[in-house]
Amino acid sequence: MTDQAYNFAYLDEQTKRMIRRAILKGLAIPGYQVPFASREMPMPYGWGTGGVQVSAAVLTPDDRFKVIDQGADDTTNAVSIRSFFQRTAGVATTTATREATVIQTRHRIPEEPLTEGQILVYQVPIPEPLRFLEPRESETRKMHSLEEYGLMHVKLYEDISRHGHIATSYAYPVKVEGRYVMDPSPIPKFDNPKLGDMAAIQLFGAGREQRIYALPPYTRVISLDFEDHPFEPSKADHPCGMCAATDSYLDELIVDDAGGRMFVCSDTDYCEARQAAGHIGKDNGGKGAA
Amino acid sequence: MTPLLSVQGITKKYGAHIGCADVSFDLYPGEVMGIVGESGSGKSTLLGCMAGHLTPDAGKVVFDTRTDGPRDTLTMSEPERRMLGRTDWAFVHQHARDGLRMGVSAGGNVGERLMAVGERHYGDIRDKAIDWLGRVEIDADRVDDRPTTFSGGMQQRLQIARNLVTGPRLVFMDEPTGGLDVSVQARLLDLLRGLVRDMGLSAVIVTHDLAVVRLLADRLMVMKSGRVVEAGLTDQVLDDPQHAYSQLLVSSVLQV
């Protein structure tokens, strides 16, 4: 690659400028989906092309970058995006939530509360919360602009009538600042309460669908529900097998062919930090108590 | 008395071709207006213009709103018009599939309008849905079934329940009995007649079936080539048609 062809963080400055404008507009209208001219990235759609573009637009040489995929720092997606920005931007990277200034995430919010000055970038597959109920884009846009959100409750109604409770467990729709209904990306609904009143900036990028939306710090975010079926964040009812945490979101792992299973924190950084601090779970030689 | 709906000089053209031209009438509360005519006579165009699905080239559609009195719905803002469309107005499509969400259970279909106007209590919504299914003669245990599993007549009745659940004052119906066999038609008509009378509904019914208007409509308009050629009380028009086309229409019905 010649010197002229190289630009900090892969995208050219004009593209970053365009993306930043979309981000600023998104921050000005929390929850509103801003169209942007998504670029081809050197990765397939569905692998975080939207998130990568947003990260590229907000990264500065002084940033410390962290990538998580379902909470983990060490999966293929996380490792390859992290090394992508190591190569193209030369930024420092970390796996520690606290040290990172920009965190790109797929489908999780870190367990550790984020602070002011941090940016959380979500990868979004389908930004339109109404899409599966109303396939026409022209119609969903009109519904957003006229605040016609009755249909969203039809989905929740269907859940209750079929399963006896609201069975939607991820990508649980939220209402932002009493105005826009937003898809929080496929995070578990366990993470929904963290969306609201968060100190960090939250940016959402959908590459294939060419939409960016955002939540500025300390935004009011309410999960939709019924009066007689209130929203409940849910998680597996177990302590973590590795670090014995009872307050974190857990992954269920099948460990043998006999149906043996263990539950372990999906946030690897959180789990490792707890183990280092001496919390040992029952599958890790401990007694199971915190 | 203020008319509930006052249609004034509605004209809609498709290029040089006339959809409907200069149609005017008043509809009073509790009244049912029938519009008959052959295919292509502009009945559905007229209905679409009144219900806000089409934008007419000229004319006014003045509706007596609950809060602000008579207002021209064509100059209303779109949010207001759409709000009207899910509260005081209802639209029954000829094909139930156009008016229902086929991927959503019967209860969800009936509840949608309730949720659209801000109902947020699952138990209440479900109770109302079941109550309405009962009123249109659908068993309560079908409440969680999708309309795809329903027969044509049941789908049409479900569509009617879904439309009437918010207690509208004006119902537009586009060939509500089209595509149903005669015995199902008869039951549906009987049901509609009961609902219209019980709820004091006003309705505009477009059909080419004279039996439907004979049973349901108080007044009748006969349309031909986009224009109203004859209007009057239903029995009067059907029993003593004056215009040549009305005479043709009445005499075309087979007597069994």
Side-chain angles (χ1 to χ4, degrees), chain A residues 147-166:
Chain A
E147 248 184 292
E148 285 182 6
Y149 291 132
L151 204 52
M152 211 66 249
H153 274 85
V154 173
K155 181 177 188 289
L156 300 179
Y157 173 95
E158 287 292 287
D159 256 16
I160 303 174
S161 71
R162 208 168 302 157
H163 305 287
H165 60 98
I166 298 178

Side-chain angles (χ1 to χ4, degrees), chain A residues 43 47 75-85:
Chain A
M43 60 199 292
W47 283 63
T75 59
T76 314
N77 199 209
V79 170
S80 58
I81 292 175
R82 192 162 60 230
S83 67
F84 174 73
F85 280 113

Side-chain angles (χ1 to χ4, degrees), chain B residues 142-157:
Chain B
R142 301 297 302 267
V143 67
D144 292 332
D145 293 347
R146 293 188 178 189
T148 39
T149 65
F150 286 12
S151 69
M154 280 170 82
Q155 287 181 1
Q156 196 57 283
R157 294 203 298 274

Side-chain angles (χ1 to χ4, degrees), chain A residues 56-69:
Chain A
V58 299
L59 273 178
T60 67
D62 302 330
D63 272 318
R64 188 174 290 275
F65 191 55
K66 169 182 164 84
V67 187
I68 50 174
D69 171 7

Side-chain angles (χ1 to χ4, degrees), chain B residues 195-217:
Chain B
L195 288 172
V196 165
R197 295 285 177 265
D198 291 348
M199 298 176 71
L201 288 176
S202 302
V204 179
I205 300 178
V206 161
T207 180
H208 52 238
D209 187 344
L210 294 181
V212 172
V213 288
R214 172 79 88 176
L215 275 169
L216 285 175

Side-chain angles (χ1 to χ4, degrees), chain A residues 94-275:
Chain A
T94 180
T95 59
T97 303
R98 192 172 312 171
E99 292 168 13
T101 54
V102 177
I103 304 172
Q104 183 172 333
T105 174
R106 174 172 173 266
H107 308 182
R108 268 318 303 279
I109 297 175
E111 302 292 351
E112 184 165 327
L114 300 182
T115 56
E116 285 181 23
Q118 289 184 307
I119 299 177
L120 186 59
V121 178
Y122 295 78
Q123 302 171 194
V124 183
I126 294 173
E128 178 52 72
L130 302 161
R131 178 60 69 236
F132 290 106
L133 299 150
E134 177 52 68
R136 290 167 294 180
E137 174 71 13
S138 58
E139 190 63 19
T140 53
R141 280 203 204 187
K142 196 167 273 181
M143 290 159 84
H144 279 295
S145 61
L146 301 178
E147 248 184 292
E148 285 182 6
Y149 291 132
L151 204 52
M152 211 66 249
H153 274 85
V154 173
K155 181 177 188 289
L156 300 179
Y157 173 95
E158 287 292 287
D159 256 16
I160 303 174
S161 71
R162 208 168 302 157
H163 305 287
H165 60 98
I166 298 178
T168 302
S169 56
Y170 64 95
Y172 193 99
V174 294
K175 194 160 202 181
V176 179
E177 282 293 326
R179 178 59 182 86
Y180 283 99
V181 165
M182 188 189 93
D183 181 345
S185 88
I187 58 171
K189 67 177 171 183
F190 174 81
D191 282 341
N192 268 26
K194 300 182 203 162
L195 288 163
D197 214 29
M198 186 190 275
I201 296 173
Q202 300 173 77
L203 305 175
F204 299 77
R208 178 178 43 206
E209 302 289 325
Q210 313 198 322
R211 293 289 183 278
I212 285 173
Y213 49 104
L215 295 174
Y218 306 112
T219 303
R220 188 157 48 93
V221 180
I222 309 286
S223 303
L224 299 179
D225 59 4
F226 284 103
E227 287 161 16
D228 48 346
H229 286 267
F231 171 77
E232 277 175 33
S234 62
K235 66 183 274 283
D237 189 18
H238 293 270
C240 170
M242 299 300 285
C243 76
T246 53
D247 58 351
S248 65
Y249 191 74
L250 303 174
D251 286 337
E252 182 180 3
L253 306 181
I254 306 293
V255 292
D256 54 33
D257 287 344
R261 61 193 57 192
M262 68 183 281
F263 291 88
V264 57
C265 293
S266 91
D267 186 335
T268 52
D269 172 56
Y270 182 75
C271 197
E272 280 161 16
R274 275 181 60 86
Q275 289 176 55

